[in-house]
PDB file of all heavy atoms in Angstrom:
ATOM      1  N   THR E 265      -3.456  87.102 114.226  1.00 96.00           N
ATOM      2  CA  THR E 265      -4.390  87.750 115.113  1.00 96.00           C
ATOM      3  C   THR E 265      -3.742  89.089 115.636  1.00 96.00           C
ATOM      4  O   THR E 265      -2.692  89.161 116.170  1.00 96.00           O
ATOM      5  CB  THR E 265      -4.623  86.950 116.416  1.00 96.00           C
ATOM      6  OG1 THR E 265      -5.413  85.747 115.896  1.00 96.00           O
ATOM      7  CG2 THR E 265      -5.584  87.599 117.336  1.00 96.00           C
ATOM      8  N   PHE E 266      -4.492  90.201 115.542  1.00 98.00           N
ATOM      9  CA  PHE E 266      -4.168  91.495 115.964  1.00 98.00           C
ATOM     10  C   PHE E 266      -5.055  91.912 117.125  1.00 98.00           C
ATOM     11  O   PHE E 266      -6.238  91.640 117.137  1.00 98.00           O
ATOM     12  CB  PHE E 266      -4.126  92.532 114.895  1.00 98.00           C
ATOM     13  CG  PHE E 266      -3.026  92.189 113.801  1.00 98.00           C
ATOM     14  CD1 PHE E 266      -3.442  91.391 112.791  1.00 98.00           C
ATOM     15  CD2 PHE E 266      -1.718  92.565 113.962  1.00 98.00           C
ATOM     16  CE1 PHE E 266      -2.442  91.156 111.810  1.00 98.00           C
ATOM     17  CE2 PHE E 266      -0.697  92.299 113.043  1.00 98.00           C
ATOM     18  CZ  PHE E 266      -1.086  91.520 112.083  1.00 98.00           C
ATOM     19  N   VAL E 267      -4.457  92.440 118.271  1.00 98.00           N
ATOM     20  CA  VAL E 267      -5.258  92.751 119.390  1.00 98.00           C
ATOM     21  C   VAL E 267      -5.477  94.299 119.618  1.00 98.00           C
ATOM     22  O   VAL E 267      -4.443  94.998 119.573  1.00 98.00           O
ATOM     23  CB  VAL E 267      -4.504  92.206 120.654  1.00 98.00           C
ATOM     24  CG1 VAL E 267      -5.323  92.545 121.917  1.00 98.00           C
ATOM     25  CG2 VAL E 267      -4.336  90.674 120.499  1.00 98.00           C
ATOM     26  N   VAL E 268      -6.768  94.646 119.706  1.00 98.00           N
ATOM     27  CA  VAL E 268      -7.135  95.998 120.068  1.00 98.00           C
ATOM     28  C   VAL E 268      -7.378  96.102 121.556  1.00 98.00           C
ATOM     29  O   VAL E 268      -8.315  95.486 122.006  1.00 98.00           O
ATOM     30  CB  VAL E 268      -8.262  96.614 119.312  1.00 98.00           C
ATOM     31  CG1 VAL E 268      -8.546  98.056 119.718  1.00 98.00           C
ATOM     32  CG2 VAL E 268      -8.152  96.456 117.852  1.00 98.00           C
ATOM     33  N   PRO E 269      -6.454  96.724 122.305  1.00 98.00           N
ATOM     34  CA  PRO E 269      -6.647  96.682 123.848  1.00 98.00           C
ATOM     35  C   PRO E 269      -7.978  97.303 124.197  1.00 98.00           C
ATOM     36  O   PRO E 269      -8.415  98.253 123.553  1.00 98.00           O
ATOM     37  CB  PRO E 269      -5.495  97.535 124.321  1.00 98.00           C
ATOM     38  CG  PRO E 269      -4.462  97.504 123.212  1.00 98.00           C
ATOM     39  CD  PRO E 269      -5.313  97.391 121.997  1.00 98.00           C
ATOM     40  N   GLY E 270      -8.664  96.739 125.299  1.00 98.00           N
ATOM     41  CA  GLY E 270      -9.888  97.291 125.684  1.00 98.00           C
ATOM     42  C   GLY E 270      -9.787  98.751 126.097  1.00 98.00           C
ATOM     43  O   GLY E 270     -10.703  99.415 125.845  1.00 98.00           O
ATOM     44  N   SER E 271      -8.647  99.157 126.518  1.00 98.00           N
ATOM     45  CA  SER E 271      -8.441 100.590 126.903  1.00 98.00           C
ATOM     46  C   SER E 271      -8.620 101.461 125.738  1.00 98.00           C
ATOM     47  O   SER E 271      -9.048 102.625 125.886  1.00 98.00           O
ATOM     48  CB  SER E 271      -7.069 100.779 127.491  1.00 98.00           C
ATOM     49  OG  SER E 271      -6.138 100.361 126.623  1.00 98.00           O
ATOM     50  N   TYR E 272      -8.423 100.909 124.555  1.00 98.00           N
ATOM     51  CA  TYR E 272      -8.644 101.762 123.321  1.00 98.00           C
ATOM     52  C   TYR E 272     -10.171 101.881 123.043  1.00 98.00           C
ATOM     53  O   TYR E 272     -10.640 102.788 122.332  1.00 98.00           O
ATOM     54  CB  TYR E 272      -8.011 101.237 122.110  1.00 98.00           C
ATOM     55  CG  TYR E 272      -6.370 101.248 122.207  1.00 98.00           C
ATOM     56  CD1 TYR E 272      -5.683 101.468 123.288  1.00 98.00           C
ATOM     57  CD2 TYR E 272      -5.640 100.968 121.005  1.00 98.00           C
ATOM     58  CE1 TYR E 272      -4.351 101.444 123.349  1.00 98.00           C
ATOM     59  CE2 TYR E 272      -4.310 100.936 120.996  1.00 98.00           C
ATOM     60  CZ  TYR E 272      -3.721 101.217 122.150  1.00 98.00           C
ATOM     61  OH  TYR E 272      -2.319 101.212 122.185  1.00 98.00           O
ATOM     62  N   ILE E 273     -10.928 100.867 123.448  1.00 98.00           N
ATOM     63  CA  ILE E 273     -12.297 100.767 123.190  1.00 98.00           C
ATOM     64  C   ILE E 273     -13.157 101.467 124.090  1.00 98.00           C
ATOM     65  O   ILE E 273     -14.336 102.079 123.726  1.00 98.00           O
ATOM     66  CB  ILE E 273     -12.780  99.283 122.990  1.00 98.00           C
ATOM     67  CG1 ILE E 273     -11.849  98.552 121.866  1.00 98.00           C
ATOM     68  CG2 ILE E 273     -14.158  99.163 122.625  1.00 98.00           C
ATOM     69  CD1 ILE E 273     -11.859  97.196 121.942  1.00 98.00           C
ATOM     70  N   ALA E 274     -12.653 101.761 125.343  1.00 98.00           N
ATOM     71  CA  ALA E 274     -13.323 102.764 126.173  1.00 98.00           C
ATOM     72  C   ALA E 274     -12.769 104.083 125.750  1.00 98.00           C
ATOM     73  O   ALA E 274     -11.876 104.613 126.349  1.00 98.00           O
ATOM     74  CB  ALA E 274     -12.963 102.445 127.674  1.00 98.00           C
ATOM     75  N   TYR E 275     -13.475 104.659 124.664  1.00 98.00           N
ATOM     76  CA  TYR E 275     -12.804 105.642 123.903  1.00 98.00           C
ATOM     77  C   TYR E 275     -12.747 106.962 124.535  1.00 98.00           C
ATOM     78  O   TYR E 275     -11.625 107.615 124.665  1.00 98.00           O
ATOM     79  CB  TYR E 275     -13.489 105.734 122.523  1.00 98.00           C
ATOM     80  CG  TYR E 275     -12.971 106.763 121.676  1.00 98.00           C
ATOM     81  CD1 TYR E 275     -11.730 106.710 121.005  1.00 98.00           C
ATOM     82  CD2 TYR E 275     -13.728 108.027 121.469  1.00 98.00           C
ATOM     83  CE1 TYR E 275     -11.262 107.709 120.220  1.00 98.00           C
ATOM     84  CE2 TYR E 275     -13.212 109.010 120.566  1.00 98.00           C
ATOM     85  CZ  TYR E 275     -11.935 108.836 120.096  1.00 98.00           C
ATOM     86  OH  TYR E 275     -11.527 109.880 119.269  1.00 98.00           O
ATOM     87  N   ALA E 276     -13.801 107.471 125.168  1.00 98.00           N
ATOM     88  CA  ALA E 276     -13.813 108.779 125.754  1.00 98.00           C
ATOM     89  C   ALA E 276     -15.133 108.895 126.611  1.00 98.00           C
ATOM     90  O   ALA E 276     -16.142 108.452 126.194  1.00 98.00           O
ATOM     91  CB  ALA E 276     -13.802 109.887 124.707  1.00 98.00           C
ATOM     92  N   PRO E 277     -14.986 109.620 127.701  1.00 98.00           N
ATOM     93  CA  PRO E 277     -16.272 109.889 128.525  1.00 98.00           C
ATOM     94  C   PRO E 277     -17.345 110.581 127.658  1.00 98.00           C
ATOM     95  O   PRO E 277     -16.898 111.523 126.987  1.00 98.00           O
ATOM     96  CB  PRO E 277     -15.705 110.741 129.720  1.00 98.00           C
ATOM     97  CG  PRO E 277     -14.191 110.530 129.835  1.00 98.00           C
ATOM     98  CD  PRO E 277     -13.832 110.154 128.402  1.00 98.00           C
ATOM     99  N   ILE E 278     -18.535 110.198 127.796  1.00 98.00           N
ATOM    100  CA  ILE E 278     -19.581 110.747 126.981  1.00 98.00           C
ATOM    101  C   ILE E 278     -19.759 112.240 127.348  1.00 98.00           C
ATOM    102  O   ILE E 278     -20.134 113.047 126.489  1.00 98.00           O
ATOM    103  CB  ILE E 278     -20.967 109.992 127.113  1.00 98.00           C
ATOM    104  CG1 ILE E 278     -21.402 110.066 128.637  1.00 98.00           C
ATOM    105  CG2 ILE E 278     -20.879 108.655 126.471  1.00 98.00           C
ATOM    106  CD1 ILE E 278     -22.806 109.456 128.770  1.00 98.00           C
ATOM    107  N   THR E 279     -19.367 112.524 128.519  1.00 98.00           N
ATOM    108  CA  THR E 279     -19.297 113.989 128.909  1.00 98.00           C
ATOM    109  C   THR E 279     -18.262 114.071 130.001  1.00 98.00           C
ATOM    110  O   THR E 279     -17.972 113.068 130.649  1.00 98.00           O
ATOM    111  CB  THR E 279     -20.746 114.522 129.422  1.00 98.00           C
ATOM    112  OG1 THR E 279     -20.618 115.933 129.653  1.00 98.00           O
ATOM    113  CG2 THR E 279     -21.098 113.932 130.628  1.00 98.00           C
ATOM    114  N   SER E 280     -17.644 115.287 130.018  1.00 97.00           N
ATOM    115  CA  SER E 280     -16.412 115.328 130.869  1.00 97.00           C
ATOM    116  C   SER E 280     -16.754 114.900 132.379  1.00 97.00           C
ATOM    117  O   SER E 280     -17.618 115.194 132.919  1.00 97.00           O
ATOM    118  CB  SER E 280     -15.980 116.848 131.052  1.00 97.00           C
ATOM    119  OG  SER E 280     -14.749 116.908 131.854  1.00 97.00           O
ATOM    120  N   GLY E 281     -15.848 113.846 132.746  1.00 97.00           N
ATOM    121  CA  GLY E 281     -15.986 113.343 134.164  1.00 97.00           C
ATOM    122  C   GLY E 281     -16.918 112.174 134.274  1.00 97.00           C
ATOM    123  O   GLY E 281     -17.042 111.534 135.325  1.00 97.00           O
ATOM    124  N   SER E 282     -17.645 111.828 133.229  1.00 98.00           N
ATOM    125  CA  SER E 282     -18.552 110.680 133.319  1.00 98.00           C
ATOM    126  C   SER E 282     -17.841 109.346 133.408  1.00 98.00           C
ATOM    127  O   SER E 282     -16.742 109.190 132.854  1.00 98.00           O
ATOM    128  CB  SER E 282     -19.473 110.620 132.020  1.00 98.00           C
ATOM    129  OG  SER E 282     -20.182 109.516 131.949  1.00 98.00           O
ATOM    130  N   GLN E 283     -18.539 108.400 134.037  1.00 98.00           N
ATOM    131  CA  GLN E 283     -17.923 107.075 134.181  1.00 98.00           C
ATOM    132  C   GLN E 283     -18.496 106.206 132.947  1.00 98.00           C
ATOM    133  O   GLN E 283     -18.225 105.052 132.892  1.00 98.00           O
ATOM    134  CB  GLN E 283     -18.475 106.431 135.505  1.00 98.00           C
ATOM    135  CG  GLN E 283     -17.286 106.574 136.517  1.00 98.00           C
ATOM    136  CD  GLN E 283     -15.859 106.030 136.075  1.00 98.00           C
ATOM    137  OE1 GLN E 283     -15.812 104.871 135.709  1.00 98.00           O
ATOM    138  NE2 GLN E 283     -14.948 106.936 136.032  1.00 98.00           N
ATOM    139  N   THR E 284     -19.260 106.833 132.074  1.00 98.00           N
ATOM    140  CA  THR E 284     -19.655 106.153 130.998  1.00 98.00           C
ATOM    141  C   THR E 284     -18.886 106.619 129.723  1.00 98.00           C
ATOM    142  O   THR E 284     -18.790 107.852 129.539  1.00 98.00           O
ATOM    143  CB  THR E 284     -21.210 106.361 130.783  1.00 98.00           C
ATOM    144  OG1 THR E 284     -21.927 105.876 131.773  1.00 98.00           O
ATOM    145  CG2 THR E 284     -21.715 105.591 129.465  1.00 98.00           C
ATOM    146  N   CYS E 285     -18.432 105.651 128.986  1.00 98.00           N
ATOM    147  CA  CYS E 285     -17.587 106.115 127.774  1.00 98.00           C
ATOM    148  C   CYS E 285     -18.324 105.731 126.513  1.00 98.00           C
ATOM    149  O   CYS E 285     -19.035 104.702 126.438  1.00 98.00           O
ATOM    150  CB  CYS E 285     -16.212 105.275 127.811  1.00 98.00           C
ATOM    151  SG  CYS E 285     -14.879 106.039 128.777  1.00 98.00           S
ATOM    152  N   PHE E 286     -18.042 106.569 125.442  1.00 98.00           N
ATOM    153  CA  PHE E 286     -18.416 106.187 124.080  1.00 98.00           C
ATOM    154  C   PHE E 286     -17.521 105.168 123.634  1.00 98.00           C
ATOM    155  O   PHE E 286     -16.261 105.134 123.840  1.00 98.00           O
ATOM    156  CB  PHE E 286     -18.365 107.550 123.259  1.00 98.00           C
ATOM    157  CG  PHE E 286     -19.223 107.342 121.992  1.00 98.00           C
ATOM    158  CD1 PHE E 286     -20.607 107.293 121.989  1.00 98.00           C
ATOM    159  CD2 PHE E 286     -18.546 107.134 120.720  1.00 98.00           C
ATOM    160  CE1 PHE E 286     -21.318 107.186 120.841  1.00 98.00           C
ATOM    161  CE2 PHE E 286     -19.317 106.948 119.551  1.00 98.00           C
ATOM    162  CZ  PHE E 286     -20.714 106.981 119.528  1.00 98.00           C
ATOM    163  N   GLY E 287     -18.135 104.121 122.909  1.00 99.00           N
ATOM    164  CA  GLY E 287     -17.329 102.980 122.476  1.00 99.00           C
ATOM    165  C   GLY E 287     -16.426 103.223 121.271  1.00 99.00           C
ATOM    166  O   GLY E 287     -16.825 103.932 120.259  1.00 99.00           O
ATOM    167  N   GLY E 288     -15.170 102.768 121.311  1.00 99.00           N
ATOM    168  CA  GLY E 288     -14.340 102.860 120.127  1.00 99.00           C
ATOM    169  C   GLY E 288     -14.742 101.861 119.001  1.00 99.00           C
ATOM    170  O   GLY E 288     -14.266 102.078 117.915  1.00 99.00           O
ATOM    171  N   ILE E 289     -15.567 100.832 119.357  1.00 98.00           N
ATOM    172  CA  ILE E 289     -16.154  99.952 118.268  1.00 98.00           C
ATOM    173  C   ILE E 289     -17.570 100.418 118.081  1.00 98.00           C
ATOM    174  O   ILE E 289     -18.235 100.562 118.974  1.00 98.00           O
ATOM    175  CB  ILE E 289     -16.061  98.539 118.750  1.00 98.00           C
ATOM    176  CG1 ILE E 289     -14.666  98.095 118.620  1.00 98.00           C
ATOM    177  CG2 ILE E 289     -16.998  97.598 117.892  1.00 98.00           C
ATOM    178  CD1 ILE E 289     -14.413  96.580 119.170  1.00 98.00           C
ATOM    179  N   GLN E 290     -17.966 100.647 116.909  1.00 98.00           N
ATOM    180  CA  GLN E 290     -19.368 100.983 116.544  1.00 98.00           C
ATOM    181  C   GLN E 290     -19.834 100.114 115.275  1.00 98.00           C
ATOM    182  O   GLN E 290     -18.987  99.553 114.645  1.00 98.00           O
ATOM    183  CB  GLN E 290     -19.470 102.470 116.209  1.00 98.00           C
ATOM    184  CG  GLN E 290     -19.201 103.448 117.391  1.00 98.00           C
ATOM    185  CD  GLN E 290     -20.176 103.295 118.557  1.00 98.00           C
ATOM    186  OE1 GLN E 290     -21.332 102.825 118.420  1.00 98.00           O
ATOM    187  NE2 GLN E 290     -19.691 103.601 119.756  1.00 98.00           N
ATOM    188  N   ALA E 291     -21.130 100.121 115.142  1.00 98.00           N
ATOM    189  CA  ALA E 291     -21.626  99.239 114.034  1.00 98.00           C
ATOM    190  C   ALA E 291     -21.533  99.968 112.693  1.00 98.00           C
ATOM    191  O   ALA E 291     -21.553 101.231 112.733  1.00 98.00           O
ATOM    192  CB  ALA E 291     -23.172  99.027 114.194  1.00 98.00           C
ATOM    193  N   ASN E 292     -21.199  99.242 111.674  1.00 98.00           N
ATOM    194  CA  ASN E 292     -20.959  99.873 110.307  1.00 98.00           C
ATOM    195  C   ASN E 292     -22.268 100.077 109.558  1.00 98.00           C
ATOM    196  O   ASN E 292     -22.143 100.317 108.390  1.00 98.00           O
ATOM    197  CB  ASN E 292     -19.988  98.963 109.475  1.00 98.00           C
ATOM    198  CG  ASN E 292     -20.617  97.664 109.115  1.00 98.00           C
ATOM    199  OD1 ASN E 292     -21.869  97.530 109.273  1.00 98.00           O
ATOM    200  ND2 ASN E 292     -19.879  96.726 108.514  1.00 98.00           N
ATOM    201  N   THR E 293     -23.315 100.142 110.231  1.00 98.00           N
ATOM    202  CA  THR E 293     -24.650 100.261 109.591  1.00 98.00           C
ATOM    203  C   THR E 293     -24.765 101.437 108.652  1.00 98.00           C
ATOM    204  O   THR E 293     -24.291 102.526 109.041  1.00 98.00           O
ATOM    205  CB  THR E 293     -25.728 100.485 110.729  1.00 98.00           C
ATOM    206  OG1 THR E 293     -25.555  99.388 111.638  1.00 98.00           O
ATOM    207  CG2 THR E 293     -27.154 100.336 110.084  1.00 98.00           C
ATOM    208  N   GLY E 294     -25.145 101.176 107.416  1.00 97.00           N
ATOM    209  CA  GLY E 294     -25.371 102.245 106.454  1.00 97.00           C
ATOM    210  C   GLY E 294     -24.071 102.584 105.613  1.00 97.00           C
ATOM    211  O   GLY E 294     -24.088 103.171 104.728  1.00 97.00           O
ATOM    212  N   ILE E 295     -22.924 101.932 106.027  1.00 97.00           N
ATOM    213  CA  ILE E 295     -21.631 102.287 105.365  1.00 97.00           C
ATOM    214  C   ILE E 295     -21.314 101.232 104.247  1.00 97.00           C
ATOM    215  O   ILE E 295     -20.941 101.570 103.169  1.00 97.00           O
ATOM    216  CB  ILE E 295     -20.514 102.299 106.499  1.00 97.00           C
ATOM    217  CG1 ILE E 295     -20.637 103.345 107.420  1.00 97.00           C
ATOM    218  CG2 ILE E 295     -19.143 102.437 105.710  1.00 97.00           C
ATOM    219  CD1 ILE E 295     -19.623 103.354 108.545  1.00 97.00           C
ATOM    220  N   GLY E 296     -21.634  99.915 104.435  1.00 94.00           N
ATOM    221  CA  GLY E 296     -21.510  98.962 103.434  1.00 94.00           C
ATOM    222  C   GLY E 296     -20.234  98.107 103.685  1.00 94.00           C
ATOM    223  O   GLY E 296     -20.157  97.077 103.031  1.00 94.00           O
ATOM    224  N   PHE E 297     -19.242  98.636 104.393  1.00 98.00           N
ATOM    225  CA  PHE E 297     -18.132  97.755 104.783  1.00 98.00           C
ATOM    226  C   PHE E 297     -17.472  98.314 106.050  1.00 98.00           C
ATOM    227  O   PHE E 297     -18.031  99.345 106.641  1.00 98.00           O
ATOM    228  CB  PHE E 297     -17.072  97.732 103.617  1.00 98.00           C
ATOM    229  CG  PHE E 297     -16.767  99.097 102.918  1.00 98.00           C
ATOM    230  CD1 PHE E 297     -15.989 100.006 103.532  1.00 98.00           C
ATOM    231  CD2 PHE E 297     -17.412  99.271 101.793  1.00 98.00           C
ATOM    232  CE1 PHE E 297     -15.776 101.237 102.868  1.00 98.00           C
ATOM    233  CE2 PHE E 297     -17.214 100.532 101.046  1.00 98.00           C
ATOM    234  CZ  PHE E 297     -16.335 101.535 101.664  1.00 98.00           C
ATOM    235  N   ASN E 298     -16.546  97.620 106.548  1.00 98.00           N
ATOM    236  CA  ASN E 298     -15.895  98.068 107.829  1.00 98.00           C
ATOM    237  C   ASN E 298     -14.811  99.206 107.687  1.00 98.00           C
ATOM    238  O   ASN E 298     -14.261  99.248 106.575  1.00 98.00           O
ATOM    239  CB  ASN E 298     -15.218  96.910 108.425  1.00 98.00           C
ATOM    240  CG  ASN E 298     -16.191  95.657 108.518  1.00 98.00           C
ATOM    241  OD1 ASN E 298     -17.288  95.727 109.018  1.00 98.00           O
ATOM    242  ND2 ASN E 298     -15.677  94.517 107.944  1.00 98.00           N
ATOM    243  N   ILE E 299     -14.765  99.964 108.667  1.00 98.00           N
ATOM    244  CA  ILE E 299     -13.691 100.942 108.645  1.00 98.00           C
ATOM    245  C   ILE E 299     -12.758 100.720 109.883  1.00 98.00           C
ATOM    246  O   ILE E 299     -13.124 100.854 111.043  1.00 98.00           O
ATOM    247  CB  ILE E 299     -14.234 102.434 108.770  1.00 98.00           C
ATOM    248  CG1 ILE E 299     -15.321 102.630 107.780  1.00 98.00           C
ATOM    249  CG2 ILE E 299     -13.134 103.408 108.693  1.00 98.00           C
ATOM    250  CD1 ILE E 299     -15.872 104.075 107.827  1.00 98.00           C
TER     251      ILE E 299
END
Side-chain angles (χ1 to χ4, degrees):
T265 296
F266 294 93
V267 180
V268 180
S271 58
Y272 294 11
I273 302 165
Y275 178 70
I278 56 173
T279 185
S280 179
S282 170
Q283 265 307 301
T284 300
C285 273
F286 196 72
I289 287 173
Q290 294 296 334
N292 69 8
T293 311
I295 296 174
F297 39 81
N298 308 307
I299 307 180

